[in-house]
């Protein structure tokens, strides 16, 4: 593919990607051989509006109101996130627009952060950190991850990496996934969602790594937390709405479960008056588990691959297709 390809599709980076990020990703795509006159990075809403009618592909952060109605040539939307619950999926489906996400881009940093949470609870590092801040010397008995059980709810790219890292530490991995035929071999015990309670009962650590859907909203509530029990720790790197936050606060305050490590919340930023801030058995991080300096290069690889599939007219080859 060269810059002279007159029939090549036009790819537009919406201004909601951010002017610096959009320009950087455009440069990375040109380095990968995409035609310069067919890749546009909009810095302002006006620039998005100027080019959207001719765009065959659209890369976005959020979707501005009414933009789809002006996208007359649109065939493909690329989200820079793994989750796509914030997009009008029904509208895209009705328009016949393909949707792809960035699954896999965040798997390594999120997997490593989850392992950090597990180590923090197993070795009491979160409690020891508070002691340091208080200049208090108090020895604590730490445990070992080896031989413990981790349940991973949602074994996609992120859940698979969590399973791989947990296995490296000698943990027993239970995975929950709708299609057991695609469950990775690294999972020791595979279960479908209707066996979630069995997994909660078995797990020392329960990691939520599933997308937010109608089926997963409120998936973890009082019943599941009771089954996780007083030795269990909940880790949520999925979406805040996957867990009933009111039930979770109650379980943490009453020590129904041992603790929780949370990177996502029902409301973000987490309100200053949330009880979660002050709970000693809770680790709170501000939705940063997916942050990594390697995101741009991974995004560009997906974008280049999908652009070429669009140019070849073969949308069955689109990577990470959601719709």
């Amino acid at each position: 593919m060269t810059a002279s390809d007159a029939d090549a599709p036009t790819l537009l980076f919406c201004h909601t990607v951010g002017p610096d990020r959009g320009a950087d990703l455009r440069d990375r795509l040109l380095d990968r051989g995409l035609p310069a006159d067919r890749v546009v990075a909009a810095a302002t809403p006006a620039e998005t509006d100027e080019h959207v009618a001719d765009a065959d592909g659209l890369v976005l952060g959020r979707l501005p109101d009414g933009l789809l109605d002006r996208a007359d040539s649109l065939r493909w939307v690329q989200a820079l996130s793994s989750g796509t619950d914030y997009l009008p999926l029904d509208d895209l489906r009705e328009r016949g627009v393909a949707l792809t996400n960035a699954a896999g881009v965040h798997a390594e940093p999120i997997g490593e952060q989850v392992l950090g949470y597990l180590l923090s609870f197993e070795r009491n590092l979160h409690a020891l950190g508070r002691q340091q801040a208080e200049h208090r010397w108090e020895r604590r008995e730490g445990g070992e991850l080896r031989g413990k059980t981790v349940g991973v709810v949602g074994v996609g790219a992120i859940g698979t990496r969590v399973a791989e890292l947990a296995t490296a530490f000698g943990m027993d991995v239970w995975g929950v996934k709708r299609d057991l035929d695609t469950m990775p071999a690294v999972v020791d015990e595979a279960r479908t969602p209707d066996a979630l309670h069995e997994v909660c009962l078995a797990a020392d650590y329960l990691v939520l790594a599933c997308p937010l859907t109608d089926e997963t909203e409120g998936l973890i509530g009082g019943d599941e937390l009771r089954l996780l029990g007083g030795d269990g720790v909940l880790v949520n790197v999925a979406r805040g709405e996957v867990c009933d936050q009111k039930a979770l606060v109650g379980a943490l305050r009453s020590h129904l479960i041992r603790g929780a490590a949370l990177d996502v919340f029902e409301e973000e930023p987490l309100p200053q008056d949330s009880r979660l801030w002050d709970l000693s058995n809770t680790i709170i991080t501000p939705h940063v588990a997916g942050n990594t300096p390697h995101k741009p290069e991974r995004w560009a690889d997906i974008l280049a691959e999908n652009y070429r599939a669009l140019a070849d007219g073969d949308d069955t080859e689109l990577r990470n297709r959601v719709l």
Side-chain angles (χ1 to χ4, degrees):
M1 186 177 295
T2 67
S4 62
D5 291 333
D7 296 328
T10 297
L11 179 64
L12 171 64
F13 286 88
C14 179
H15 66 277
T16 58
V17 170
D20 292 338
R21 177 177 289 168
D24 175 67
L25 287 173
R26 180 181 185 274
D27 289 342
R28 291 173 186 270
L29 292 182
L30 300 192
D31 289 342
R32 286 163 169 78
L34 272 64
D37 61 344
R38 290 293 187 268
V39 183
V40 179
T44 65
E47 289 180 356
T48 295
D49 288 340
E50 177 185 352
H51 296 284
V52 69
D54 298 322
D56 300 280
L58 181 65
V59 184
L60 50 81
R62 60 176 177 82
L63 181 65
D65 292 340
L67 190 67
L68 287 181
D69 293 332
R70 304 191 295 277
D72 300 330
S73 303
L74 190 62
R75 294 185 281 152
W76 162 51
V77 169
Q78 172 72 56
L80 293 181
S81 57
S82 296
T84 56
D85 49 281
Y86 60 94
L87 295 173
L89 303 184
D90 290 340
D91 196 2
L92 290 170
R93 187 180 291 109
E94 290 174 5
R95 295 171 185 266
V97 175
L99 172 64
T100 55
N101 67 9
V105 166
H106 309 92
E108 187 63 36
I110 294 179
E112 292 184 9
Q113 184 148 325
V114 167
L115 187 64
Y117 292 144
L118 270 56
L119 287 167
S120 290
F121 273 100
E122 196 62 35
R123 300 300 303 171
N124 288 313
L125 299 180
H126 61 302
L128 292 169
R130 291 188 178 98
Q131 287 180 199
Q132 179 182 350
E134 297 167 358
H135 297 194
R136 178 162 53 92
W137 182 280
E138 179 182 335
R139 295 170 67 91
R140 291 174 178 266
E141 183 75 14
E144 297 180 359
L145 290 179
R146 180 172 295 277
K148 297 292 176 67
T149 297
V150 59
V152 182
V153 181
V155 193
I158 292 170
T160 297
R161 188 58 182 146
V162 170
E164 291 170 347
L165 293 173
T167 296
F169 273 73
M171 300 186 76
D172 189 33
V173 180
W174 291 46
V176 177
K177 192 173 187 180
R178 283 181 298 179
D179 183 3
L180 296 187
D181 290 337
T182 61
M183 185 72 80
V186 71
V187 172
D188 300 298
E189 297 285 345
R191 297 291 187 273
T192 54
D194 57 4
L196 175 62
H197 285 180
E198 181 185 354
V199 178
C200 292
L201 191 60
D204 299 293
Y205 294 91
L206 186 68
V207 178
L208 307 182
C210 55
L212 177 62
T213 65
D214 291 341
E215 290 75 24
T216 62
E217 185 173 3
L219 183 68
I220 304 300
D223 290 341
E224 290 73 27
L225 294 170
R226 276 187 288 274
L227 289 168
L228 187 57
D231 293 328
V233 174
L234 179 75
V235 176
N236 192 358
V237 290
R239 286 288 188 269
E241 295 87 342
V242 173
C243 181
D244 182 335
Q245 195 162 293
K246 182 178 180 181
L248 177 59
V249 170
L252 290 165
R253 294 184 70 201
S254 65
H255 297 279
L256 181 65
I257 64 173
R258 180 183 170 196
L262 309 170
D263 190 55
V264 291
F265 306 89
E266 290 180 350
E267 181 181 350
E268 296 184 4
L270 184 65
Q272 288 293 314
D273 60 356
S274 172
R275 290 178 171 177
L276 288 170
W277 286 111
D278 299 318
L279 294 175
S280 62
N281 56 350
T282 305
I283 297 174
I284 291 174
T285 53
H287 206 150
V288 295
N291 288 1
T292 171
H294 299 292
K295 275 196 294 189
E297 63 195 66
R298 294 170 184 164
W299 275 330
D301 287 341
I302 294 173
L303 284 164
E305 182 177 333
N306 284 344
Y307 181 90
R308 292 189 174 98
L310 192 74
D312 292 340
D314 189 359
D315 59 11
T316 63
E317 292 299 317
L318 289 171
R319 179 174 164 188
N320 293 346
R321 183 162 183 172
V322 179
L323 295 176

